[in-house]
Amino acid sequence: MQSVYLFNRSDNQILEELLRVCSTGRDTAREQWSLQAELLVEPVGWDALWKLSKDFCKKFDVRFPCVAYVSVTSVDFEELSASADVLSVQHEAVTIPETVVDIPLVELWPTIKQREASINAATTADFIDLLRFFYENIWMPWDDQDGKTLLPKTIEERMSLWSDIHNGPIPNCVARSITQLRNSAIDAYKKLKDLDSSLCDGILDDDDDSLLPPSYISECAEMNARLDSLMSKWTLYENPLIREQYLAKTKHKWQKTKSKRNVVALWQGGSVTEFNEISKFLSKNLNNDHNLTMMASAEDGLSLEPDDLVVCSKTYELPEMPLSQISICSFNGSTLKAADMRSCLLMLSEECRLRELTLHCAQVNTIIVMMTGTLHISNCMLADVSNNSQRDFAQGIVAKAGAKIVIEDCTFENFYSGIVVHKGAQVELKKCLLKQCGVGIQMYSGSRVSLDSTVIANCSEQSIRYEVYDGCANIDESEDLQIMPNCTIGSGNLDKEVLTVNHDVDLF
């Protein structure tokens, strides 16, 4: 894939540039951005990487995330979108239309190398990068309502809120509540747009409300009422004076709950007998040093920032949110999966533990992404059970730089890459089974992998692939990979089962 323009702006620089775009104070947010786009974005002929949206991936049965290399054939400045020809796709097995229309500009990353020498890709990329930041972090659905003017003061207040969330005094639990509030507002806005789109497919006389379907009227009223309610709640955070007082109360309440180890039990309901069994299990494993809360909603339960999460139903869908310093286990075995299409099921950091769980990859590209910190996984089953044609892109665990992972008595099945270990990460496997994967373990030079009583079997490409950069030593001369004699790696011939792939520095 081609290299793209990346920008590193300070908070003050972002604010200054946003105020420059929205300086008129006379139009809606979209109208002001459209005017700037006509001045700064190349109208045709530029190349870009396109990060396919979740909706597009669902429509064409493509595993998210996925990237395509495209050439823009036209730009709709009013809609802030583009049409493009698809030149290539990240994965050869992916099939999408050769020409795509109405791609939002925020999904495009102009490439540094352009096939047309006259293209000013840098200016286009700079504008889209700022537009992307605005719509991902600052924009709210009511900004584009008819007659709604986006004032510079509003930009300043929301930028201040964004800075406080990412760099300031707002606790993680409150930050999540703010993010969920914004996401709920955007979701309600999208549902309203979908209702309007479905109505446009029919044929109605102008201004004749009597022909509107009753369901449309009731659903629109419900979504508009929800948006109004969310707008009122948003004021608590957007206004800095109100936010300061509200956060002080929230912090005090949060600190009181952290005096004990916070445990959340997730249960969707069931028979009295099942409830009694769950109660016995919790009573046996908890004491007075624990504070127990039982919830039905995984999102509500995780928003409490529990130290321990006990999953008590057979299956649970997890929301998309990063987790840290958490232990997740199950009562009598539970299956966790994503509620909707996204990049990973669990993004973890700091100190985490997982045990006695089944983790499914149906809606995600990767089951676990471990950032900096330690993770212990025991007695878990990780599998890709998806039925679509894109299962050959799935990954079980990705260990990022600074991650230290210990995996015991676990099974990995049906992934393209069972475990991916990046430079600066360490992974130790004990009594594990990796089977029916494309590559059992994919590791990079500078990482550490240790195998003890572990079996890697029936991999279609390679049991272990070792990616070497900067002319590193061969695998048999390196301490990066340690395999105990009690392991079974493919056929048992390590010269065949462990493949070292050398790369040039420039490729890395």
Side-chain angles (χ1 to χ4, degrees):
M1 283 290 175
Q2 298 279 344
S3 298
V4 299
Y5 288 94
L6 298 174
F7 301 91
N8 186 19
R9 299 178 171 94
S10 67
D11 292 359
N12 287 334
Q13 288 173 326
I14 294 172
L15 177 59
E16 290 175 3
E17 295 186 36
L18 289 175
L19 291 175
R20 176 179 54 79
V21 173
C22 304
S23 60
T24 63
R26 295 192 301 269
D27 302 307
T28 65
R30 179 170 290 275
E31 288 169 342
Q32 294 187 64
W33 282 103
S34 296
L35 289 173
Q36 289 294 315
E38 289 191 58
L39 298 174
L40 300 173
V41 176
E42 289 281 357
V44 66
W46 46 281
D47 302 329
L49 295 187
W50 169 33
K51 183 179 179 182
L52 281 62
S53 68
K54 292 180 182 179
D55 289 339
F56 191 92
C57 288
K58 288 178 183 177
K59 183 177 180 180
F60 291 95
D61 194 23
V62 176
R63 191 186 291 274
F64 179 86
C66 184
V67 177
Y69 178 41
V70 302
S71 177
V72 172
T73 55
S74 65
V75 175
D76 186 335
F77 296 108
E78 184 176 347
E79 294 299 323
L80 296 172
S81 65
S83 299
D85 292 334
V86 178
L87 304 178
S88 64
V89 185
Q90 181 181 12
H91 304 292
E92 293 182 0
V94 171
T95 301
I96 61 175
E98 294 180 357
T99 300
V100 183
V101 298
D102 299 328
I103 302 174
L105 289 180
V106 294
E107 295 177 8
L108 298 173
W109 276 258
T111 57
I112 295 174
K113 184 178 180 180
Q114 294 286 323
R115 294 176 303 155
E116 295 291 336
S118 60
I119 293 295
N120 186 356
T123 300
T124 298
D126 184 74
F127 172 84
I128 292 177
D129 185 72
L130 190 67
L131 177 71
R132 187 182 300 114
F133 179 89
F134 174 80
Y135 275 100
E136 289 182 353
N137 302 287
I138 304 299
W139 175 81
M140 293 299 288
W142 42 85
D143 293 341
D144 290 330
Q145 292 178 345
D146 293 338
K148 178 73 173 181
T149 301
L150 184 63
L151 299 174
K153 181 183 177 183
T154 303
I155 298 290
E156 292 175 351
E157 290 179 346
R158 291 184 190 167
M159 191 65 203
S160 172
L161 173 60
W162 183 89
S163 296
D164 283 352
I165 290 174
H166 292 85
N167 311 310
I170 298 181
N172 287 336
C173 60
V174 180
R176 286 175 184 165
S177 298
I178 297 172
T179 301
Q180 290 171 16
L181 177 62
R182 183 173 184 270
N183 290 340
S184 297
I186 292 173
D187 182 61
Y189 174 75
K190 286 181 177 178
K191 288 180 179 178
L192 271 176
K193 288 188 68 177
D194 291 342
L195 284 171
D196 289 340
S197 297
S198 64
L199 189 65
C200 290
D201 293 337
I203 302 176
L204 296 175
D205 293 334
D206 293 341
D207 302 323
D208 190 352
D209 292 344
S210 64
L211 296 178
L212 292 173
S215 60
Y216 170 83
I217 296 174
S218 62
E219 288 182 45
C220 276
E222 181 182 343
M223 287 298 106
N224 278 307
R226 180 164 173 74
L227 269 178
D228 289 341
S229 173
L230 293 169
M231 189 187 303
S232 300
K233 292 180 180 178
W234 182 258
T235 305
L236 293 172
Y237 300 112
E238 185 174 291
N239 186 302
L241 295 178
I242 299 176
R243 179 167 77 243
E244 184 178 356
Q245 299 175 25
Y246 183 71
L247 288 178
K249 294 181 180 179
T250 306
K251 277 185 183 179
H252 178 69
K253 181 179 179 182
W254 176 74
Q255 288 170 349
K256 286 178 65 177
T257 63
K258 298 303 287 185
S259 59
K260 292 185 176 182
R261 190 167 179 85
N262 189 16
V263 180
V264 170
L266 295 179
W267 188 50
Q268 296 166 332
S271 66
V272 174
T273 301
E274 184 182 3
F275 176 75
N276 288 335
E277 291 175 353
I278 293 171
S279 298
K280 291 178 182 177
F281 174 81
L282 295 173
S283 298
K284 180 181 178 181
N285 291 278
L286 304 180
N287 54 47
N288 290 332
D289 293 329
H290 295 90
N291 180 57
L292 174 63
T293 304
M294 183 165 279
M295 308 285 288
S297 165
E299 184 170 357
D300 292 343
L302 289 170
S303 68
L304 298 176
E305 290 201 320
D307 300 294
D308 298 277
L309 183 74
V310 184
V311 185
C312 300
S313 295
K314 284 295 183 183
T315 303
Y316 246 98
E317 294 183 341
L318 295 184
E320 184 175 13
M321 61 171 65
L323 302 174
S324 61
Q325 292 185 319
I326 188 171
S327 174
I328 305 177
C329 67
S330 69
F331 161 73
N332 207 24
S334 297
T335 297
L336 302 182
K337 56 185 180 179
D340 199 0
M341 180 180 283
R342 59 181 192 252
S343 60
C344 67
L345 176 64
L346 291 167
M347 180 173 287
L348 306 174
S349 62
E350 299 185 47
E351 186 175 351
C352 301
R353 301 178 70 89
L354 305 174
R355 58 186 174 89
E356 297 172 355
L357 298 165
T358 297
L359 306 172
H360 278 181
C361 195
Q363 296 261 37
V364 299
N365 186 65
T366 305
I367 289 186
I368 299 171
V369 175
M370 183 63 194
M371 311 302 284
T372 301
T374 59
L375 170 63
H376 188 272
I377 309 174
S378 60
N379 297 300
C380 290
M381 171 73 178
L382 293 84
D384 180 13
V385 296
S386 60
N387 294 318
N388 65 14
S389 60
Q390 311 305 332
R391 63 169 55 195
D392 53 339
F393 312 134
Q395 302 173 119
I397 295 177
V398 173
K400 297 287 191 177
K404 296 181 180 180
I405 305 177
V406 177
I407 309 170
E408 296 184 273
D409 297 297
C410 293
T411 299
F412 295 75
E413 184 175 357
N414 205 32
F415 296 100
Y416 175 70
S417 298
I419 302 173
V420 180
V421 191
H422 287 278
K423 180 180 180 181
Q426 300 178 31
V427 174
E428 181 180 353
L429 290 93
K430 301 177 181 178
K431 300 179 182 178
C432 292
L433 170 63
L434 294 88
K435 62 180 181 177
Q436 296 175 352
C437 297
V439 177
I441 299 174
Q442 181 175 342
M443 56 185 294
Y444 294 85
S445 56
S447 65
R448 293 290 181 91
V449 173
S450 173
L451 307 180
D452 184 4
S453 299
T454 291
V455 176
I456 303 178
N458 301 323
C459 291
S460 60
E461 294 186 18
Q462 206 69 44
S463 293
I464 300 173
R465 186 160 65 205
Y466 185 78
E467 312 276 353
V468 179
Y469 296 92
D470 288 332
C472 289
N474 290 330
I475 193 70
D476 57 352
E477 300 173 350
S478 171
E479 296 181 356
D480 290 356
L481 177 62
Q482 297 181 355
I483 303 175
M484 299 297 290
N486 56 12
C487 296
T488 301
I489 309 300
S491 64
N493 183 353
L494 294 185
D495 291 336
K496 176 183 176 183
E497 299 297 335
V498 180
L499 175 67
T500 301
V501 181
N502 290 286
H503 296 281
D504 294 333
V505 179
D506 292 338
L507 291 177
F508 180 71

Short mmCIF file of all heavy atoms in Angstrom, two decimals, residues 398-421:
data_model
loop_
_atom_site.label_atom_id
_atom_site.label_comp_id
_atom_site.label_asym_id
_atom_site.label_seq_id
_atom_site.Cartn_x
_atom_site.Cartn_y
_atom_site.Cartn_z
N VAL A 398 -3.33 -9.93 19.06
CA VAL A 398 -2.26 -9.06 18.58
C VAL A 398 -1.61 -8.42 19.80
O VAL A 398 -2.27 -7.73 20.57
CB VAL A 398 -2.79 -7.98 17.62
CG1 VAL A 398 -1.67 -6.99 17.27
CG2 VAL A 398 -3.35 -8.61 16.35
N ALA A 399 -0.31 -8.69 19.98
CA ALA A 399 0.44 -8.11 21.10
C ALA A 399 1.25 -6.93 20.59
O ALA A 399 2.15 -7.09 19.77
CB ALA A 399 1.36 -9.17 21.71
N LYS A 400 0.95 -5.74 21.07
CA LYS A 400 1.65 -4.53 20.67
C LYS A 400 2.92 -4.34 21.51
O LYS A 400 3.13 -5.03 22.51
CB LYS A 400 0.72 -3.31 20.85
CG LYS A 400 -0.52 -3.33 19.97
CD LYS A 400 -0.18 -3.05 18.52
CE LYS A 400 -1.43 -2.80 17.70
NZ LYS A 400 -1.12 -2.46 16.30
N ALA A 401 3.75 -3.40 21.10
CA ALA A 401 4.99 -3.12 21.83
C ALA A 401 4.68 -2.79 23.29
O ALA A 401 3.79 -1.99 23.58
CB ALA A 401 5.72 -1.96 21.17
N GLY A 402 5.41 -3.43 24.20
CA GLY A 402 5.19 -3.19 25.62
C GLY A 402 4.22 -4.17 26.27
O GLY A 402 4.02 -4.12 27.48
N ALA A 403 3.63 -5.05 25.46
CA ALA A 403 2.69 -6.03 26.01
C ALA A 403 3.43 -7.28 26.47
O ALA A 403 4.37 -7.74 25.83
CB ALA A 403 1.65 -6.40 24.96
N LYS A 404 3.01 -7.82 27.61
CA LYS A 404 3.52 -9.08 28.12
C LYS A 404 2.33 -9.99 28.39
O LYS A 404 1.50 -9.70 29.24
CB LYS A 404 4.32 -8.86 29.41
CG LYS A 404 5.57 -8.02 29.23
CD LYS A 404 6.33 -7.86 30.54
CE LYS A 404 7.59 -7.03 30.34
NZ LYS A 404 8.35 -6.85 31.61
N ILE A 405 2.25 -11.09 27.63
CA ILE A 405 1.07 -11.95 27.68
C ILE A 405 1.48 -13.37 28.05
O ILE A 405 2.41 -13.93 27.48
CB ILE A 405 0.33 -11.97 26.32
CG1 ILE A 405 -0.01 -10.54 25.87
CG2 ILE A 405 -0.93 -12.81 26.41
CD1 ILE A 405 -0.68 -10.48 24.50
N VAL A 406 0.78 -13.95 29.02
CA VAL A 406 0.93 -15.35 29.39
C VAL A 406 -0.38 -16.05 29.06
O VAL A 406 -1.45 -15.64 29.52
CB VAL A 406 1.26 -15.52 30.89
CG1 VAL A 406 1.33 -17.00 31.24
CG2 VAL A 406 2.58 -14.83 31.22
N ILE A 407 -0.30 -17.12 28.24
CA ILE A 407 -1.49 -17.84 27.78
C ILE A 407 -1.36 -19.29 28.21
O ILE A 407 -0.38 -19.97 27.86
CB ILE A 407 -1.63 -17.75 26.25
CG1 ILE A 407 -1.55 -16.29 25.79
CG2 ILE A 407 -2.94 -18.37 25.79
CD1 ILE A 407 -1.45 -16.13 24.28
N GLU A 408 -2.34 -19.78 28.99
CA GLU A 408 -2.28 -21.15 29.51
C GLU A 408 -3.57 -21.91 29.19
O GLU A 408 -4.67 -21.36 29.33
CB GLU A 408 -2.08 -21.14 31.03
CG GLU A 408 -0.75 -20.55 31.49
CD GLU A 408 -0.57 -20.65 32.99
OE1 GLU A 408 -1.03 -19.75 33.71
OE2 GLU A 408 0.02 -21.65 33.45
N ASP A 409 -3.41 -23.16 28.76
CA ASP A 409 -4.56 -24.06 28.53
C ASP A 409 -5.61 -23.42 27.62
O ASP A 409 -6.81 -23.46 27.92
CB ASP A 409 -5.19 -24.46 29.88
CG ASP A 409 -4.23 -25.25 30.75
OD1 ASP A 409 -3.83 -26.35 30.34
OD2 ASP A 409 -3.88 -24.75 31.83
N CYS A 410 -5.17 -22.84 26.53
CA CYS A 410 -6.08 -22.17 25.60
C CYS A 410 -5.99 -22.80 24.21
O CYS A 410 -4.97 -23.38 23.84
CB CYS A 410 -5.76 -20.68 25.50
SG CYS A 410 -6.10 -19.75 27.02
N THR A 411 -7.07 -22.67 23.45
CA THR A 411 -7.13 -23.17 22.09
C THR A 411 -7.42 -22.03 21.12
O THR A 411 -8.31 -21.21 21.38
CB THR A 411 -8.22 -24.25 21.95
OG1 THR A 411 -7.91 -25.35 22.80
CG2 THR A 411 -8.31 -24.75 20.51
N PHE A 412 -6.65 -21.98 20.02
CA PHE A 412 -6.87 -21.02 18.94
C PHE A 412 -7.24 -21.82 17.69
O PHE A 412 -6.51 -22.73 17.30
CB PHE A 412 -5.60 -20.22 18.66
CG PHE A 412 -5.15 -19.34 19.79
CD1 PHE A 412 -4.55 -19.87 20.93
CD2 PHE A 412 -5.33 -17.96 19.73
CE1 PHE A 412 -4.13 -19.07 21.97
CE2 PHE A 412 -4.91 -17.14 20.76
CZ PHE A 412 -4.31 -17.70 21.89
N GLU A 413 -8.35 -21.46 17.06
CA GLU A 413 -8.80 -22.25 15.91
C GLU A 413 -9.35 -21.38 14.79
O GLU A 413 -10.14 -20.46 15.03
CB GLU A 413 -9.87 -23.25 16.36
CG GLU A 413 -10.34 -24.18 15.25
CD GLU A 413 -11.30 -25.25 15.75
OE1 GLU A 413 -11.56 -25.30 16.98
OE2 GLU A 413 -11.80 -26.03 14.92
N ASN A 414 -8.90 -21.68 13.57
CA ASN A 414 -9.49 -21.15 12.35
C ASN A 414 -9.21 -19.67 12.12
O ASN A 414 -10.06 -18.94 11.61
CB ASN A 414 -11.01 -21.40 12.35
CG ASN A 414 -11.57 -21.45 10.94
OD1 ASN A 414 -10.90 -21.88 10.00
ND2 ASN A 414 -12.79 -21.01 10.77
N PHE A 415 -8.02 -19.20 12.46
CA PHE A 415 -7.62 -17.83 12.17
C PHE A 415 -6.64 -17.82 11.00
O PHE A 415 -6.00 -18.83 10.70
CB PHE A 415 -6.92 -17.20 13.38
CG PHE A 415 -7.80 -17.06 14.59
CD1 PHE A 415 -7.73 -17.99 15.62
CD2 PHE A 415 -8.70 -16.02 14.68
CE1 PHE A 415 -8.54 -17.87 16.73
CE2 PHE A 415 -9.52 -15.89 15.79
CZ PHE A 415 -9.44 -16.82 16.82
N TYR A 416 -6.51 -16.65 10.37
CA TYR A 416 -5.40 -16.51 9.44
C TYR A 416 -4.10 -16.46 10.23
O TYR A 416 -3.15 -17.17 9.94
CB TYR A 416 -5.54 -15.28 8.55
CG TYR A 416 -4.31 -15.11 7.69
CD1 TYR A 416 -4.07 -16.00 6.65
CD2 TYR A 416 -3.36 -14.13 7.96
CE1 TYR A 416 -2.92 -15.90 5.88
CE2 TYR A 416 -2.22 -14.02 7.19
CZ TYR A 416 -2.00 -14.91 6.16
OH TYR A 416 -0.85 -14.83 5.41
N SER A 417 -4.07 -15.57 11.27
CA SER A 417 -2.92 -15.52 12.19
C SER A 417 -3.44 -15.79 13.59
O SER A 417 -4.24 -15.01 14.12
CB SER A 417 -2.23 -14.15 12.14
OG SER A 417 -1.71 -13.89 10.85
N GLY A 418 -2.99 -16.88 14.20
CA GLY A 418 -3.44 -17.18 15.55
C GLY A 418 -2.99 -16.13 16.54
O GLY A 418 -3.79 -15.57 17.29
N ILE A 419 -1.68 -15.83 16.53
CA ILE A 419 -1.10 -14.83 17.43
C ILE A 419 -0.11 -13.99 16.64
O ILE A 419 0.73 -14.53 15.92
CB ILE A 419 -0.39 -15.49 18.63
CG1 ILE A 419 -1.36 -16.39 19.41
CG2 ILE A 419 0.21 -14.44 19.56
CD1 ILE A 419 -0.69 -17.20 20.50
N VAL A 420 -0.21 -12.67 16.78
CA VAL A 420 0.72 -11.74 16.13
C VAL A 420 1.48 -11.00 17.23
O VAL A 420 0.86 -10.38 18.11
CB VAL A 420 -0.02 -10.73 15.22
CG1 VAL A 420 0.98 -9.77 14.57
CG2 VAL A 420 -0.83 -11.47 14.15
N VAL A 421 2.81 -11.09 17.20
CA VAL A 421 3.65 -10.51 18.26
C VAL A 421 4.55 -9.44 17.65
O VAL A 421 5.47 -9.75 16.88
CB VAL A 421 4.49 -11.58 18.96
CG1 VAL A 421 5.14 -11.02 20.22
CG2 VAL A 421 3.65 -12.80 19.31
#
